[in-house]
Amino acid sequence: MVSERQGRPVGRRLVLGMLGLGAVGVAVGAPLQDSLNGVFAGVREKDPTGITGLLPGSGDFRFYSVAPSVPQRTAAGYRLTVDGLVARPTAYTLADLQGLPRTRMVKDVQCVTGWRVPRTPFTGVRLSHLLDAAGVKPGAKAVRFTCFDGVYTESLTLDQARRPDMLVAYAMDDRPVTHAHGGPVRLYAAPMYFYKSAKWLSGITVTDRVQPGYWEERGYDVDAWVGRSNGRDDASID
C-alpha cells in the first residue's frame, strides 16, 4: 500500500546507525543481512517517513501503512473469507491456500509515487481460482478486498479480478510474505500500481458494483494500470 502514515519521524541518530548496520550487512554477506532485515522490519512498521525503505537489505521497497498499528496473524490463526454474491461462501486457512494450484510470477513492482523494484517473484493462488470455486452469481460486477488492519480496502472489476496476473499471494521473493510486506497473505495486482495490491488480506467480497478503495476515495485512480498516463490500458498490458 502507499500512504503517509501519521506519527513521529524516525530519529536522525537511529537512521544513521541503521545505515551503518546496513553497510556492514552488505559487506559481510547474506547470513548477517538476513538478521539485519529482521531488525529493520520492526522499525519500518513504525516509520512514517518511508526512509528506512532506502536502507541496504530493504530490497528497495518502501514500507507504509494507513493504520496506527496492524495486528499480527500467525500462519495457524490466519483466515481468508470469500463471500458476497457467491453460491458457496468459503473461509480458507493459509494451509488451504497453499494446497491449491500454485502460480509464480516474476514482474516489476511499480509504486505510484515513482519507486520501482524490478523482477520481484510472487507466488500464490490466482484470484480467479477462488472466485470460480465460490461460484460467482449473476449480477456480480466487482470484487472488494478488506484487510485485517481494519482500515484498508481495495476493489477490482470482475473482469480485472479474473486476469491471470491477479494473485492471492502467500510468498514473495520465494519466502513467506512477512508481516511488514502484508503477510501472511496479500493481494498482488501485477499490472497495476502497488496500492492496488492490498496488504494483510482478510476478505474477498463479490459485489454488484465497484466500491472505491481507501486511496481511490482520496483521489487515486480506480483503474490503476501502470503507465495509464502514457496511454496504457488493460489490453496493452501483458
Side-chain angles (χ1 to χ4, degrees):
M1 303 175 188
V2 180
S3 91
E4 292 297 335
R5 188 170 105 182
Q6 297 299 314
R8 186 172 59 188
V10 173
R12 180 174 178 271
R13 287 184 181 178
L14 178 59
V15 171
L16 291 175
M18 291 171 64
L19 284 169
L21 283 172
V24 170
V26 170
V28 301
L32 179 56
Q33 192 62 53
D34 285 345
S35 297
L36 291 175
N37 287 346
V39 173
F40 291 159
V43 179
R44 288 172 190 140
E45 292 180 50
K46 299 177 177 64
D47 173 16
T49 68
I51 194 170
T52 50
L54 298 171
L55 294 168
S58 70
D60 293 325
F61 280 90
R62 312 292 186 266
F63 292 77
Y64 301 104
S65 171
V66 298
S69 63
V70 181
Q72 298 273 349
R73 291 286 186 273
T74 64
Y78 178 77
R79 295 293 184 275
L80 173 65
T81 59
V82 181
D83 57 20
L85 296 176
V86 297
R88 296 174 293 278
T90 309
Y92 292 93
T93 66
L94 179 59
D96 291 335
L97 294 172
Q98 292 170 332
L100 295 174
R102 184 179 70 168
T103 296
R104 182 178 183 270
M105 295 190 300
V106 181
K107 294 180 178 291
D108 294 354
V109 168
Q110 179 70 56
C111 180
V112 73
T113 59
W115 57 265
R116 181 172 63 91
V117 182
R119 305 287 297 166
T120 304
F122 281 87
T123 302
V125 183
R126 282 180 175 155
L127 177 56
S128 61
H129 183 98
L130 300 184
L131 296 175
D132 289 344
V136 174
K137 291 183 177 180
K141 292 187 169 51
V143 182
R144 177 175 171 82
F145 306 94
T146 50
C147 307
F148 61 78
D149 68 350
V151 179
Y152 206 81
T153 60
E154 257 307 335
S155 287
L156 296 169
T157 68
L158 193 56
D159 286 343
Q160 291 167 355
R162 290 192 180 280
R163 288 178 57 102
D165 50 8
M166 298 289 181
L167 286 188
V168 173
Y170 48 74
M172 177 180 172
D173 284 328
D174 298 318
R175 299 178 181 181
V177 179
T178 64
H179 179 72
H181 276 296
V185 176
R186 67 174 299 156
L187 183 67
Y188 178 48
M192 295 182 167
Y193 287 114
F194 209 36
Y195 68 85
K196 298 295 286 190
S197 296
K199 297 164 72 174
W200 307 298
L201 186 63
S202 62
I204 298 171
T205 301
V206 180
T207 62
D208 60 359
R209 59 186 176 88
V210 170
Q211 300 176 46
Y214 180 91
W215 283 111
E216 286 92 280
E217 290 177 342
R218 291 157 176 81
Y220 279 49
D221 196 354
V222 174
D223 291 322
W225 306 113
V226 172
R228 188 180 185 202
S229 61
N230 297 321
R232 299 195 72 180
D233 58 20
D234 188 11
S236 66
I237 294 173
D238 52 26

